[in-house]
Amino acid sequence: MIETNDKILRLSQSINKYDEAEIVENTYFKLFCYNDFLADIFKTDFLQHFKIILVNNGFSMSEVGEVKNLNYSIKRKQKALMNTIKNNEIDEFIGIVHEEITDKLSKDMEDFIKDTFLEIIRPGLNYELLLKRHEIIGLQTKDDIIKYKDFLQDEHTLTNLFNFQKLFRTDDYINKKIEENNKNCQKVKNLSNIYTKINLLRVFEKVYNIERLDLNFTNISLDNKITEDKIELIYNVYRFTKSDLSTVENVIKLYINMITNICGDLKVVLSGQKRIKKVLKRVYTVNTELLIDLLTLTKLKNPYLKTYDKELIKKLTGIEAEIRPPKQLETPEDYAAIEAEGLYNTYLFGKFGNKI
């Protein structure tokens, strides 16, 4: 990070006639500052920023009424209403995609959306987004849509799915993606991305002799010590508070937190308390049922599990990759299938960069 900071200064810093360093507010400097400004805004209180903007523009602020939490019955009714709305949205989406225009799904997606899909949907619902996400994750049947509807309707959950899948990618794939990212943008920007997190997870597992998602921690060992620079990087990238790693319990806790951080709200790890030798201890188990569901979904788009650790998947879930028929060569469709992540990145660019 220090080296990268020096590079940034070299792009935006000069020496004046008094031999003093000063920042040149060139285009690069303005872009960098604006990007960091937006990042800071996204991590703080939107409402408070809005109030400050209003006050700075001559408005007087006042509040009417008492601020208090909604009672349980209202929250329950609102939750039930939202579930009804989401279910109706999925029902209508299934009706449109699988009953009225299934035969046209083979058309180019952009032309399909513009020429056909948007003409028959009910205004006000996010069918365009649903259709794009439907294409990205490769859902094929009505049952697929119903079972995995959360990934269609919740973008945050969809992101967590792609992060989860990276836990099962091969080392070669992760290394390749890290190299590509380092070429395409500043390394300091790659410090906190998902590939860096997975790479640090691999380092941690290797040092403490932990197999991926072996929550029995059968072979865990404290014989080796992780280097100070690596552990410092882990705490910064994952945004964890430092802890003492001299005990097995703390090593396990940090490992569980890393897995949870990667998977977000996908409950890959289940925890509970168990009495062991009259001592109450916290134990962790893999949510095998969820793993099977998510990896089955992964196979819809990538049936041969190309770039995935097939042995790890089989060990944890019993799921095996489909076997390619003899003499059948890889096709462009195979490569398109494994790049669902690429489709997702294109979708995000369309959504946030070039408005769809």
Side-chain angles (χ1 to χ4, degrees):
M1 292 177 72
I2 293 173
E3 289 175 358
T4 304
N5 183 67
D6 290 340
K7 292 177 182 179
I8 292 172
L9 287 178
R10 285 198 293 272
L11 287 169
S12 305
Q13 180 181 262
S14 67
I15 304 298
N16 62 22
K17 62 182 180 180
Y18 303 108
D19 291 330
E20 297 172 339
E22 63 179 21
I23 298 296
V24 179
E25 296 187 9
N26 54 25
T27 301
Y28 179 85
F29 177 80
K30 292 175 181 177
L31 288 171
F32 176 79
C33 291
Y34 182 67
N35 184 68
D36 272 31
F37 168 73
L38 288 181
D40 288 341
I41 293 296
F42 282 127
K43 295 175 183 175
T44 54
D45 189 342
F46 279 103
L47 180 59
Q48 185 60 34
H49 283 292
F50 182 58
K51 289 180 180 179
I52 292 173
I53 291 171
L54 292 177
V55 171
N56 290 340
N57 283 274
F59 288 85
S60 297
M61 301 295 298
S62 63
E63 294 185 7
V64 178
E66 180 183 355
V67 178
K68 61 180 182 180
N69 294 328
L70 293 174
N71 62 48
Y72 177 74
S73 63
I74 294 178
K75 287 183 178 179
R76 186 174 58 185
K77 290 178 181 178
Q78 289 182 339
K79 185 177 181 180
L81 177 60
M82 282 303 302
N83 287 336
T84 300
I85 292 172
K86 286 185 174 182
N87 289 335
N88 290 342
E89 183 180 58
I90 287 296
D91 289 341
E92 291 187 33
F93 180 73
I94 290 173
I96 292 171
V97 172
H98 286 280
E99 293 175 13
E100 297 184 35
I101 49 178
T102 304
D103 59 324
K104 298 181 182 180
L105 280 172
S106 58
K107 287 186 62 178
D108 177 77
M109 186 54 63
E110 292 300 322
D111 292 339
F112 168 66
I113 291 173
K114 293 176 182 177
D115 300 339
T116 307
F117 192 73
L118 296 180
E119 295 178 1
I120 61 175
I121 64 173
R122 181 163 61 84
L125 295 178
N126 296 321
Y127 288 113
E128 188 175 1
L129 290 179
L130 291 178
L131 188 64
K132 285 182 177 291
R133 295 169 187 167
H134 176 275
E135 179 199 11
I136 288 168
I137 56 182
L139 301 181
Q140 299 171 4
T141 67
K142 296 179 184 179
D143 291 339
D144 289 341
I145 293 176
I146 294 171
K147 184 174 183 179
Y148 300 112
K149 63 182 180 181
D150 288 346
F151 301 113
L152 292 178
Q153 295 181 301
D154 189 331
E155 191 160 285
H156 180 69
T157 304
L158 181 60
T159 300
N160 289 335
L161 171 66
F162 282 105
N163 291 344
F164 161 84
Q165 289 175 341
K166 292 176 181 64
L167 283 174
F168 299 89
R169 295 285 192 174
T170 61
D171 290 351
D172 288 343
Y173 179 87
I174 297 297
N175 291 336
K176 179 183 176 182
K177 286 297 183 180
I178 290 175
E179 290 176 5
E180 288 177 359
N181 288 337
N182 285 336
K183 290 178 182 178
N184 295 331
C185 67
Q186 300 171 29
K187 290 183 179 179
V188 71
K189 286 294 185 182
N190 289 324
L191 274 178
S192 58
N193 73 17
I194 185 62
Y195 295 110
T196 302
K197 289 184 177 183
I198 297 293
N199 192 43
L200 289 173
L201 181 70
R202 291 189 304 178
V203 171
F204 192 84
E205 289 171 334
K206 186 174 181 180
V207 170
Y208 292 104
N209 201 28
I210 301 172
E211 294 184 25
R212 181 68 50 85
L213 290 178
D214 176 15
L215 302 190
N216 293 319
F217 299 101
T218 310
N219 302 313
I220 192 169
S221 171
L222 298 180
D223 293 342
N224 299 319
K225 299 295 181 182
I226 195 166
T227 60
E228 286 295 327
D229 61 331
K230 287 296 183 185
I231 195 62
E232 184 77 18
L233 188 56
I234 288 174
Y235 286 130
N236 277 282
V237 168
Y238 281 90
R239 300 184 183 276
F240 290 159
T241 303
K242 290 185 178 180
S243 60
D244 177 22
L245 295 180
S246 62
T247 66
V248 171
E249 288 77 13
N250 284 346
V251 170
I252 291 175
K253 184 177 179 181
L254 179 55
Y255 182 72
I256 295 297
N257 288 339
M258 292 169 76
I259 297 291
T260 303
N261 181 280
I262 291 169
C263 297
D265 56 7
L266 298 177
K267 300 297 183 182
V268 172
V269 176
L270 304 176
S271 66
Q273 290 185 322
K274 185 176 180 181
R275 194 170 297 279
I276 302 175
K277 295 182 179 179
K278 299 183 179 180
V279 177
L280 200 61
K281 293 185 177 182
R282 181 156 297 277
V283 294
Y284 303 95
T285 55
V286 174
N287 189 345
T288 306
E289 183 178 351
L290 179 62
L291 256 61
I292 292 173
D293 283 345
L294 298 183
L295 290 169
T296 299
L297 172 59
T298 301
K299 278 190 65 179
L300 293 179
K301 196 74 175 180
N302 188 350
Y304 303 120
L305 293 178
K306 189 176 177 67
T307 74
Y308 282 89
D309 187 336
K310 301 178 183 62
E311 292 184 4
L312 175 63
I313 292 175
K314 182 178 179 180
K315 178 181 177 182
L316 290 173
T317 65
I319 293 175
E320 297 186 52
E322 291 185 18
I323 300 175
R324 189 182 299 277
K327 298 182 179 181
Q328 179 180 330
L329 301 177
E330 291 183 339
T331 65
E333 288 73 20
D334 291 329
Y335 292 99
I338 68 171
E339 285 304 325
E341 182 182 348
L343 288 173
Y344 181 58
N345 291 336
T346 302
Y347 151 76
L348 287 179
F349 176 77
K351 187 170 185 295
F352 298 112
N354 181 20
K355 296 295 184 182
I356 55 176

